[in-house]
Amino acid sequence: MFYTTDTNAHGMPHDPFKAIVAPRPIGWIGSRGRDGKDNLAPYSFFNAVSSAPPVVMFSSDTVKDSFTNIEETGMFTASLVSRDLAEQMNTTSAPLSRGESEFEAAGLTAVNGQLVDAAFVGEAYAALECRVTRMMAAPTLEGFSTESRLVFGQVVGIHIRDEAIGENGLLDMARIRPVGRMGYLDYAECGTPFQMKRPRRG
């Protein structure tokens, strides 16, 4: 099969694009507007895009409350979604009215950041505090702006729960069991890591 994305004539029941680019980390984005109201929402278009300095990026197909809050304040948090929090993460994707707390709806603890004016999930094994470096509309090949919005944030602080660290001093991913977004309604539990050493010349 081959098809071009301008027609998207793949003939399948659902667009396979998101299923091909998988699994994707889930950015559980916490933000707070000027009115002091907290928002928490999961974004599957999320990833680390730089390590020096540490930068993460997330995007949405439309302007949502997260984007509006972050545009007002220039800061946000990103909490790690583990398997034990998957159902709560899904609950926070509900289309609540602006100002309603997803933290409360999902029974989660909102913990204030130390360096940013936004809350993260207290139950999460790890969370990032971020300050915005750029916000932009996703461009097309023709140079037009789309409705999709991209947010880049430099990580200025990191929270890690003690129980997430194994005896070797590293994050215990088998214990954390991070959740990734697949295509359609599918998710993946990344609970069985394996290691490979990079090849060397000669």
Side-chain angles (χ1 to χ4, degrees):
M1 175 195 291
F2 173 79
Y3 67 94
T4 59
T5 55
D6 56 344
T7 63
N8 226 26
H10 46 72
M12 301 174 73
H14 298 283
D15 190 339
F17 168 66
K18 294 179 182 179
I20 295 170
V21 185
R24 300 186 304 280
I26 299 170
W28 212 0
I29 306 299
S31 62
R32 180 176 291 153
R34 286 198 192 117
D35 58 4
K37 301 290 187 179
D38 287 325
N39 182 269
L40 179 66
Y43 291 86
S44 67
F45 284 178
F46 168 83
N47 219 319
V49 294
S50 172
S51 61
V55 174
V56 295
M57 183 278 296
F58 78 93
S59 69
S60 64
D61 289 338
T62 58
V63 175
K64 297 182 179 179
D65 288 344
S66 298
F67 187 91
T68 301
N69 289 346
I70 295 168
E71 194 171 40
E72 290 178 353
T73 66
M75 55 193 77
F76 63 94
T77 66
S79 297
L80 175 62
V81 179
S82 51
R83 180 63 186 90
D84 61 312
L85 294 175
E87 284 71 25
Q88 291 96 319
M89 176 275 296
N90 192 45
T91 297
T92 62
S93 69
L96 302 183
S97 299
R98 181 169 174 79
E100 289 188 78
S101 173
E102 290 82 5
F103 285 97
E104 292 182 8
L108 296 166
T109 306
V111 179
N112 288 325
Q114 294 189 28
L115 301 177
V116 303
D117 187 21
F120 62 91
V121 176
E123 291 78 5
Y125 280 110
L128 312 175
E129 297 191 20
C130 309
R131 290 187 176 273
V132 172
T133 57
R134 179 167 298 182
M135 302 179 73
M136 58 184 290
T140 66
L141 285 172
E142 296 77 21
F144 299 119
S145 295
T146 66
E147 292 298 314
S148 296
R149 294 296 187 269
L150 284 67
V151 179
F152 293 84
Q154 183 169 326
V155 179
V156 295
I158 298 178
H159 300 265
I160 301 175
R161 283 169 47 190
D162 291 342
E163 56 266 41
I165 302 174
E167 294 181 359
N168 60 0
L170 304 177
L171 286 179
D172 188 346
M173 303 312 289
R175 177 182 298 174
I176 294 172
R177 298 160 62 201
V179 172
R181 189 73 165 90
M182 307 291 279
Y184 319 120
L185 300 177
D186 299 334
Y187 292 83
E189 176 189 322
C190 307
T192 309
F194 64 93
Q195 297 181 346
M196 292 189 294
K197 293 184 178 179
R198 293 183 180 180
R200 296 181 178 179
R201 284 190 177 180

